[in-house]
Amino acid sequence: MTSGGPAAERIELVRVVVTGVGAVSAAGPRAPDLWSALLQGRLAPSSLTAFDPGRPAVVAQLPDYRGPSGVPDAVLRRLSRSARFALDASMQAIGDSRLELGPEQAPYIGALIGTAHADGFDSADGADARRFFSDGLAGVTSGLHIGGPSATIRADAASGLIAIGEATALIQSGAVQIAVAGGAEAPLGRRIWSAYEAAGLLSRQSEPNALRPFDLLRDGLVLGEGAAALVLENRDVALARGARIYAEVIGFGQTSGPPGDGCAPTDVDIGRRALGTAIRQAAISPHQIDVVYAAGAGTLAGDARETDILERSLGARILDTYVTTVTPVVGFTVGASGALAAAAAVFSLAEQVVPPHASFEQPDEACGLDFARTPQRDHLGGAAVCAYGTLGQNAAVILARAETDASAGA
């Protein structure tokens, strides 16, 4: 094929790889805790303790969490709970990547964190006015030696996944060489929880397995808190420093549509376009996707629509594709949900195993997907991660297993 022209320029995009993973969730304070809980199918939700909701209710919470260790109290006091989660996950990811950052590298490093709700004064641990302004990594990027573009993305439950996709684009554009990207959420304050309750989106069950996405007995979501962050790098830069490479980001798509009934995804055709765009950008066929990390909110209409999106997007391949979701283990973490799923997908590709859908019991004809019920070891070349917001935001990221030569630094 003759090279040249705009199409060739798109094909020759800078390759972006994942070299670090960080996570804090109800499953535990570090990324390995998340992965271990997923593989074991260990359910983290427990009775809500932050306030009295007026009825038995479960959430996925970190009741004794104060913030990342080693950070001065003066810094933590000015950060909201979700910002503490974001900082913690980002510090973990940077440490895991073995990057040695300093002022000279700062201009070449960016940060994008997605979050749906500003927790501000709704945190239970204080009312420092500065917390109201501390979305994402606001106020701490200089301490992390991040001097490139930095922003917080708000697109409801698609926020964290969009942050990863947009950070990938920043690296591909040459604006930065490295980016920290992910999502963080602390939705367990009274006002946010009450809003979800009033909208009729919460499960009425009170057992740890209350969040049952795609199951016949599902009746709504269980809110969770936490964060996940990935260190993304220009592949050439990562190889030059001998970095361990977990996976490669090869495709991203996002769309928006009508708000619908509040059960995300809100529109099948528009949601399907996000996944289709990601597959086309990845320049692969659906047959090269071996595992899907579904959003799995646990609502009746939303899960049925997500099933429809996957069936239409992947065609016959969906019959041979593993499908799983992280939400039964860590709850529905809204803006952090896509990032936590992406972190899990990175581990899946690196370790060649699919964790089970932890709360799946009774199949629903409207959700006829192939859910893993036990950990599945197999050849996994590609993974799709999907996230959808209640106001019609949709996002999808395609990840590929790291090539042998790209893993030389492991």
Side-chain angles (χ1 to χ4, degrees), residues 276-287:
T277 298
I279 292 172
R280 285 193 298 275
Q281 187 183 94
I284 63 172
S285 79
H287 288 275

Side-chain angles (χ1 to χ4, degrees), residues 30-43:
R30 302 192 64 80
D33 300 322
L34 168 68
W35 184 235
S36 175
L38 290 172
L39 289 178
Q40 296 170 20
R42 188 172 73 246
L43 301 171

Side-chain angles (χ1 to χ4, degrees), residues 57-271:
V58 295
V59 293
Q61 60 200 339
L62 289 87
D64 300 320
Y65 182 81
R66 295 294 300 168
S69 61
V71 176
D73 288 343
V75 174
L76 293 179
R77 280 196 297 270
R78 73 172 189 247
L79 299 179
S80 67
R81 188 170 177 86
S82 64
R84 294 182 191 186
F85 290 146
L87 176 60
D88 198 339
S90 298
M91 290 173 61
Q92 289 182 41
I94 292 169
D96 186 45
S97 72
R98 304 171 193 169
L99 280 167
E100 296 182 4
L101 303 182
E104 63 277 4
Q105 292 93 14
Y108 308 103
I109 301 170
L112 292 177
I113 299 294
T115 188
H117 307 294
D119 47 303
F121 296 107
D122 215 357
S123 298
D125 54 358
D128 187 320
R130 289 171 295 185
R131 295 183 184 181
F132 185 77
F133 302 100
S134 63
D135 280 350
L137 293 177
V140 294
T141 50
S142 59
L144 296 176
H145 299 298
I146 294 172
S150 177
T152 301
I153 290 178
R154 274 230 169 87
D156 200 72
S159 301
L161 205 57
I162 290 174
I164 291 171
E166 293 294 347
T168 299
L170 273 179
I171 296 171
Q172 290 171 333
S173 73
V176 294
Q177 295 179 343
I178 300 169
V180 178
E185 202 72 63
L188 302 183
R190 184 185 299 274
R191 287 181 296 177
I192 296 174
W193 191 91
S194 298
Y196 279 85
E197 176 85 327
L201 295 175
L202 298 181
S203 171
R204 305 295 294 184
Q205 302 176 43
S206 57
E207 299 80 18
N209 65 343
L211 182 49
R212 305 169 184 259
F214 306 103
D215 190 282
L216 185 64
L217 299 180
R218 69 189 186 279
D219 71 335
L221 54 88
V222 168
L223 286 176
E225 61 179 357
L230 305 180
V231 169
L232 306 174
E233 289 191 58
N234 178 312
R235 181 175 178 269
D236 292 339
V237 172
L239 289 175
R241 70 179 185 88
R244 170 189 53 197
I245 294 177
Y246 284 105
E248 183 173 352
V249 184
I250 60 173
F252 168 62
Q254 64 172 312
T255 59
S256 59
D261 55 10
C263 295
T266 63
D267 186 280
V268 170
D269 288 331
I270 295 173

